[in-house]
Amino acid sequence: MFNLKALQKNKTVRYGVPMLLLVVGGSFGLQQFTQIRYDAQKIRRKLDPSLEAKVNMEKQSVVLEQEYEKMKETNLDEWRNVRGPRPWEESRQYQEQIRRNITAEN
């Protein structure tokens, strides 16, 4: 039916099929390599079991209601918003000036 020489001369078969195989096969190959990378990162990220237990205990111990109780105890009436020094200002001098102003007001 088909002549083998005619297929070899066809540009689609000669160039298109290998290109398609490279693109599709390359995506599957890259998938395997990237999976190895992510598996290695996951292994490196694992914590020591004793340290992981401490971290999990700290996460469990913080409860929203406890944080709310802490915030209720703070006195927000005496709170004052103080800006930090600008890049061109001397930070030590500015901090001292702010401290003097705060103590002078009290």
Side-chain angles (χ1 to χ4, degrees):
M1 230 161 138
F2 285 105
N3 193 356
L4 189 59
K5 286 191 178 196
L7 281 177
Q8 287 177 346
K9 288 184 181 180
N10 189 347
K11 286 188 177 185
T12 304
V13 174
R14 194 169 180 190
Y15 298 112
V17 173
M19 181 66 176
L20 188 64
L21 287 174
L22 279 172
V23 169
V24 172
S27 69
F28 285 110
L30 284 174
Q31 179 185 7
Q32 295 301 319
F33 282 117
T34 55
Q35 188 63 43
I36 291 170
R37 174 183 169 200
Y38 290 124
D39 290 343
Q41 286 178 356
K42 191 182 289 185
I43 289 171
R44 248 187 261 140
R45 236 185 264 148
K46 284 211 172 197
L47 294 175
D48 183 35
S50 62
L51 182 60
E52 189 173 4
K54 287 181 183 178
V55 169
N56 288 339
M57 285 294 290
E58 288 176 8
K59 285 182 182 177
Q60 291 173 358
S61 67
V62 176
V63 181
L64 188 59
E65 288 81 16
Q66 291 174 348
E67 290 298 319
Y68 177 69
E69 292 300 323
K70 287 181 189 176
M71 291 301 295
K72 271 182 23 180
E73 294 172 2
T74 59
N75 186 3
L76 296 177
D77 293 330
E78 294 179 8
W79 182 78
R80 182 176 170 175
N81 189 13
V82 178
R83 73 166 179 84
R86 304 272 165 77
W88 59 85
E89 294 175 339
E90 182 76 28
S91 68
R92 291 218 186 262
Q93 291 175 352
Y94 182 75
Q95 289 171 0
E96 290 297 322
Q97 180 185 1
I98 293 297
R99 286 188 187 120
R100 277 189 252 125
N101 289 343
I102 290 174
T103 55
E105 290 177 3
N106 293 336

